[in-house]
Amino acid sequence: MAKNSLFAILLRSPWWMSFGLVAAIALAARALLPEPYVVFGVIGGFPFLVIGIMAAWRQWRAPSAARVAEALKVAGGMSWRDFSSAVEQGFARQGYAVTRLNSPAADFKLDKGGRLTLVSCKRWKAANHGLEPLRDLVAAQAAQDAQGSIYISLGSVTDNARRFAQTQGMVLLSENDLAQLIFD
């Protein structure tokens, strides 16, 4: 799915917007279509209903802004040993087999269903994250024959680094996702 398709935008929007679209489509079908075709018009809103349910589920499970802020504050105060243990346990709860790596570019190798993903999180406290650690992670990904990579940070990632990650298919994990990973 495209990052800015209508469905992707609705998934990131409040759940009630999708349900509003379903209601608008149903009302438009009732007002504009002949009676035998109204049901088909209403069915046209079904994809938006599914997206609304998915968005509601995500938003219901998402931590509050206060909880995220507190989790990030706690994570920022952790030692590397505690932080890496929390990350390792978080991925293990998600069903990954986690292997610690002794590499400057990657800290963990995740295996789930035969799909290998490398994780870099050693620089999680850095205020800014540029291209270099992301390039190193991509090189390690190629060397390990991994299918994916995840870069974890508390600080901001530069626009160049963000674009690079996007072109490489790298996941940048921060804020809400990080809070859920280590404190769920």
Side-chain angles (χ1 to χ4, degrees):
M1 179 175 355
K3 188 171 187 160
N4 288 319
S5 71
L6 176 59
F7 293 132
I9 291 169
L10 286 172
L11 274 173
R12 294 188 305 262
S13 300
W15 60 268
W16 54 266
M17 292 181 82
S18 295
F19 290 134
L21 279 171
V22 171
I25 290 170
L27 289 173
R30 181 74 180 127
L32 301 174
L33 294 175
E35 189 62 37
Y37 300 107
V38 169
V39 71
F40 297 108
V42 171
I43 290 172
F46 182 73
F48 298 102
L49 178 65
V50 171
I51 294 295
I53 291 169
M54 290 171 61
W57 176 256
R58 280 183 175 179
Q59 291 165 19
W60 177 69
R61 293 187 61 224
S64 68
R67 183 166 179 237
V68 168
E70 179 62 27
L72 296 178
K73 182 179 174 185
V74 169
M78 288 179 162
S79 68
W80 165 245
R81 188 179 72 194
D82 293 342
F83 182 76
S84 64
S85 291
V87 169
E88 184 176 4
Q89 291 169 8
F91 282 119
R93 279 191 305 271
Q94 292 180 358
Y96 289 97
V98 183
T99 306
R100 286 184 179 252
L101 299 175
N102 189 15
S103 163
D107 302 303
F108 299 104
K109 179 168 47 174
L110 308 177
D111 185 353
K112 189 173 191 179
R115 178 177 163 76
L116 298 179
T117 304
L118 294 187
V119 177
S120 176
C121 58
K122 196 167 281 170
R123 298 185 67 226
W124 88 100
K125 287 186 184 183
N128 291 311
H129 299 266
L131 276 172
E132 199 58 38
L134 275 62
R135 285 186 179 142
D136 293 344
L137 182 56
V138 167
Q141 177 184 341
Q144 294 263 344
D145 235 6
Q147 291 79 31
S149 57
I150 301 172
Y151 187 81
I152 297 177
S153 67
L154 288 176
S156 62
V157 177
T158 65
D159 289 339
N160 284 341
R162 196 172 296 285
R163 281 191 295 275
F164 176 78
Q166 185 177 18
T167 61
Q168 298 298 317
M170 182 184 299
V171 174
L172 298 176
L173 195 71
S174 61
E175 297 180 0
N176 288 356
D177 296 327
L178 179 58
Q180 280 188 291
L181 175 69
I182 61 178
F183 294 108
D184 249 358

